[in-house]
Every structure is written in C-alpha cells, then in structure tokens.
C-alpha cells in the first residue's frame, strides 16, 4: 500500500513534488519539520498510514491508528499575507476534494475542522517554522476514512466521525491526490480567489450559539457566532452584548 500510494501521488500530483510515504511514524508534521531544516522544496509531502504521536491544535494529540486514515503534511513557503490565509484556504481545499472525489457534503467548524454529518472527520494544523530568514509552514491534514477498530477514544467519541463503513480499494490514493491537487490549485491564487466566500458557504459555526475557548487559556465565554471575514476571523457577540473578533482559539457549539 505504501509503494502504491507513493507511486500514484508522484505520478498524478501536478506539483512534481517530493513525496515520502511511511506505514507508521511519530508524526508527519515532525518529519516535515526535519525536511524544512534540511532545506526541502515547496510541496514536499510526508504521508503516513498511522502515527504514534499525531499532533492536534491547542497542544492536543491527534488519534491516528493504523488502517483507518490518511495523515499528511505538506511544506509551503508562503509570504506573510498568504500565511495568514493558509488555514482557512486549506479547509476549503479539503472540502472541495471531499465533494469532488467522494461526493460528500462537508461543513467547516471554525476555524478548520471538517465535519460530515456533524462529526469531525478531518483536522488541519498549520505550523510555522523558521529556517534562517525564510519562514516555512507545515500544513498537516488528518482524515478519518474508516471506523477505528475498537472505536474512538472516549474523549473524542462524541465528536469524531469517519467517512465510510466499507473499505474501498484505491480510495486512500485517490483522496491523497485529490487533496493535494485541490490545495495546489487554491494556493496558486491565495488572496485573490473566492476561498473566503466558499468557506462561508460551508461554515457550520456562524449563526450558532457558541462557547469560546481562548487560544491562550482563560475563562470560556458564551455567545453567538455572527460572521467570518475575508481573513477567516470570526466575530462573536457574547451574551453580555460585547463583540469580539477572533483569529484563533476554539469556538464550540453550545448545545
Ligand atoms: C486538529 O484537529 O487538532 C488538527 C489535527 C491535525 C492532524 C494532522 S495528521 C497529519 C499531521 N501530522 C500531525 O501530527 N498532525 C497533523
């Protein structure tokens, strides 16, 4: 499976990029970070079929067992303006890949969780990394394709989901190429395309009663999500009627 995935992506991904595929590593983000330190090119992609130390947002881990998902990290070198838009753009690109390749109708929970049937099926983590004067970004994407043996751990069992009950030959390869192609297309036009509008169309958070968990810790606040702007910042009106525009943190549905 590893060889087939590597060959398919090398053959079909338009960026003509370096692709590394592993059956199991600690984290594709960590290996990609090493590649940045070694001076790798843009679009260098590390894929794993399982991870022992998958990293999630806000210091959490990302459950990445064998035989259930696609875990991938791609190295990009965006300018400052593009860097700020990368996470939101990636959420749109993943949705478009799931729609086009798998005929699904995903939604986005701000800022970049992908939901299908109200369950999180994909997480995205963009991590900046400095190499001399150059700033790279590792875009890590984890997609839950199938139900893990024994189910999800209890902490995420209520919120996590997967895409298919039955295994399908070639699905992993198709999805990996489709996500990369979709990212590649969107990234070329980042900042001057309709990604923010496409994000808003799919955003499941706006209009909902929410609980805001600040990125740096601190007290949770209750409010209503009002809108997402072109920088993918979300404006929330708290129950106290104060408004705040957030660029990071977690906004969960309240009920
Ligand atoms: C989140 O939802 O908290 C973000 C999860 C990001 C997980 C992916 S899986 C591939 C890449 N490698 C990692 O260690 N994390 C990201």
């Amino acid at each position: 499976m590893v060889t087939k995935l590597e060959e398919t992506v090398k053959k079909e991904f338009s960026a003509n990029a370096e692709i590394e595929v592993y059956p199991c590593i600690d984290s594709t983000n960590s290996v990609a970070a090493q590649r940045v330190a070694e001076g790798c090119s843009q679009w260098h992609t590390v894929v794993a079929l399982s991870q022992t130390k998958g990293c999630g947002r806000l210091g959490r881990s990302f459950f990445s067992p064998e035989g259930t998902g696609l875990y991938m990290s791609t190295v990009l070198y965006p300018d400052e303006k593009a860097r700020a838009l990368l996470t939101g753009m990636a959420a749109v690109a993943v949705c478009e890949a799931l729609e086009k390749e798998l005929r699904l109708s995903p939604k986005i929970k701000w800022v970049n969780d992908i939901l299908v049937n109200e369950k999180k099926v994909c997480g995205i983590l963009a991590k900046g990394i400095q190499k001399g004067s150059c700033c790279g970004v590792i875009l890590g994407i984890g997609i839950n394709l199938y139900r893990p043996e024994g189910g999800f751990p209890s902490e995420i069992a209520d919120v996590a989901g997967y895409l298919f009950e039955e295994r399908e030959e070639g699905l992993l390869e198709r999805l990996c190429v489709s996500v990369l192609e979709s990212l590649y297309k969107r990234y070329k036009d980042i900042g001057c395309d309709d990604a923010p509008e496409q994000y808003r169309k799919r955003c499941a958070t706006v209009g909902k009663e929410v609980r805001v968990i600040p990125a740096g810790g601190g007290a949770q606040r209750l409010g209503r999500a009002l809108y997402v702007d072109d920088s993918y910042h979300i404006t929330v009106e708290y129950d106290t009627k104060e408004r705040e525009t957030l660029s990071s943190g977690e906004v969960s549905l309240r009920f």
Side-chain angles (χ1 to χ4, degrees):
M1 188 178 280
V2 167
T3 321
K4 187 174 164 211
L5 182 56
E6 194 166 314
E7 282 174 4
T8 310
V9 178
K10 276 187 178 151
K11 198 167 118 212
E12 294 182 17
F13 180 31
S14 315
N16 187 22
E18 200 64 48
I19 311 291
E20 305 175 49
V21 183
Y22 299 94
C24 180
I25 49 177
D26 56 353
S27 156
T28 55
N29 271 19
S30 317
V31 174
Q34 284 168 32
R35 299 299 176 257
V36 172
E38 291 157 13
C40 73
S41 308
Q42 175 150 280
W43 294 105
H44 189 115
T45 296
V46 181
V47 185
L49 305 180
S50 62
Q51 304 181 110
T52 53
K53 284 193 189 146
C55 317
R57 291 180 65 235
L58 307 173
R60 297 178 189 138
S61 61
F62 190 77
F63 185 58
S64 323
E66 192 190 333
T68 67
L70 174 63
Y71 313 106
M72 55 195 280
S73 298
T74 295
V75 175
L76 296 169
Y77 296 108
D79 61 22
E80 207 179 318
K81 193 171 151 229
R83 203 174 313 135
L85 302 174
L86 207 53
T87 308
M89 177 284 277
V92 171
V94 171
C95 284
E96 289 175 336
L98 295 177
E99 288 159 8
K100 193 165 161 242
E101 194 59 46
L102 306 178
R103 308 268 158 238
L104 295 167
S105 304
K107 296 271 179 250
I108 304 168
K109 174 180 166 289
W110 190 86
V111 53
N112 56 359
D113 286 349
I114 309 298
L115 312 178
V116 169
N117 297 328
E118 294 175 21
K119 299 279 187 190
K120 174 171 171 175
V121 295
C122 169
I124 302 172
L125 178 66
K127 200 168 167 2
I129 183 155
Q130 198 71 30
K131 165 105 194 332
S133 59
C134 166
C135 187
V137 172
I138 292 161
L139 191 62
I141 300 174
I143 304 178
N144 304 331
L145 274 174
Y146 304 114
R147 196 177 77 84
E149 226 180 273
F152 288 102
S154 56
E155 317 85 78
I156 57 167
D158 287 348
V159 291
Y162 54 91
L163 297 177
F164 298 105
E165 289 294 342
E166 302 292 330
R167 275 160 207 281
E168 191 190 310
E169 172 75 31
L171 184 72
L172 196 77
E173 290 79 4
R174 270 171 49 211
L175 186 59
C176 188
V177 172
S178 180
V179 167
L180 284 168
E181 279 299 313
S182 186
L183 282 173
Y184 187 61
K185 274 205 197 108
R186 282 281 170 198
Y187 186 71
K188 274 201 294 202
D189 297 331
I190 195 166
C192 39
D193 64 349
D194 68 342
E197 194 185 321
Q198 294 303 325
Y199 184 104
R200 285 188 281 269
K201 271 192 191 164
R202 296 166 176 83
C203 185
T205 311
V206 166
K208 303 277 171 42
E209 300 295 315
V210 292
R211 177 185 306 276
V212 175
I213 306 165
Q220 299 184 9
R221 298 187 74 182
L222 302 179
R224 185 179 173 80
L226 297 183
Y227 55 87
V228 172
D229 65 21
D230 285 356
S231 305
Y232 304 101
H233 297 170
I234 196 166
T235 297
V236 174
E237 182 172 83
Y238 293 115
D239 291 355
T240 57
K241 298 294 171 208
E242 286 164 273
R243 285 189 181 192
E244 188 175 21
T245 298
L246 305 160
S247 58
S248 61
E250 178 143 320
V251 176
S252 299
L253 300 190
R254 211 152 122 180
F255 303 111

